[in-house]
Amino acid sequence: MTSRLNPYISFGDTARAALEFYRDVFDGTLSIQTFGDMGDKDAPGADLVMHGMLETPSGFTLMASDTPPGMEYKPGNSISISLSGDDADELRGYWDQLTSGGTVTVPLEKQMWGDEFGMCMDRFGIAWMVNIASSA
């Protein structure tokens, strides 16, 4: 297996909903293991996601988990996910879905460097950057 870099996002208790949302946006195969799958199925938080992974037809991999029972969830703004390429229709489709229920922080529009670029916060509080490379 080759080395790869992909985002791993921690949620309080919404990892399943977030991963299902991202599967709807990007398509692909979603696998989820809960804390109960790996231990006591009757323990508090057993239905929370211990590890989730989405692998998409475009080659994206996104991993996520809920905060383990007994640990404090500390949301932050130190991570954003970048989507870039030259398939404008595909990237605009992702943008439209990611911004649905979210907040646009920089509109997706032509920038001084020639590409279309935008930034948004999805409905789960995750920051996204979308860059559509100029064809010129």
Side-chain angles (χ1 to χ4, degrees):
M1 173 185 232
T2 60
S3 298
R4 62 183 171 179
L5 176 71
N6 59 270
Y8 201 113
I9 306 172
S10 296
F11 294 90
D13 61 2
T14 60
R16 180 180 302 274
L19 285 166
E20 289 171 349
F21 169 69
Y22 299 139
R23 180 191 56 208
D24 292 344
V25 172
F26 300 111
D27 200 13
T29 304
L30 176 60
S31 61
I32 292 178
Q33 294 84 40
T34 65
F35 289 103
D37 292 337
M38 303 298 156
D40 183 355
K41 293 188 184 319
D42 297 321
D47 60 336
L48 295 176
V49 175
M50 186 178 98
H51 177 72
M53 183 168 69
L54 175 64
E55 294 184 286
T56 75
S58 296
F60 305 148
T61 300
L62 182 63
M63 296 179 182
S65 65
D66 286 314
T67 302
M71 291 184 69
E72 181 182 1
Y73 173 59
K74 295 180 182 180
N77 59 1
S78 60
I79 185 172
S80 59
I81 302 172
S82 173
L83 287 174
S84 58
D86 58 6
D87 188 329
D89 290 338
E90 179 182 50
L91 291 164
R92 282 190 195 102
Y94 295 151
W95 173 263
D96 290 343
Q97 292 180 76
L98 289 166
T99 58
S100 177
T103 304
V104 173
T105 53
V106 174
L108 182 62
E109 58 191 17
K110 190 161 184 119
Q111 300 296 322
M112 60 191 287
W113 60 89
D115 293 351
E116 287 182 64
F117 177 81
M119 295 173 63
C120 68
M121 186 81 62
D122 72 22
R123 66 182 185 205
F124 294 99
I126 302 302
W128 292 82
M129 299 180 291
V130 175
N131 191 86
I132 303 170
S134 171
S135 58

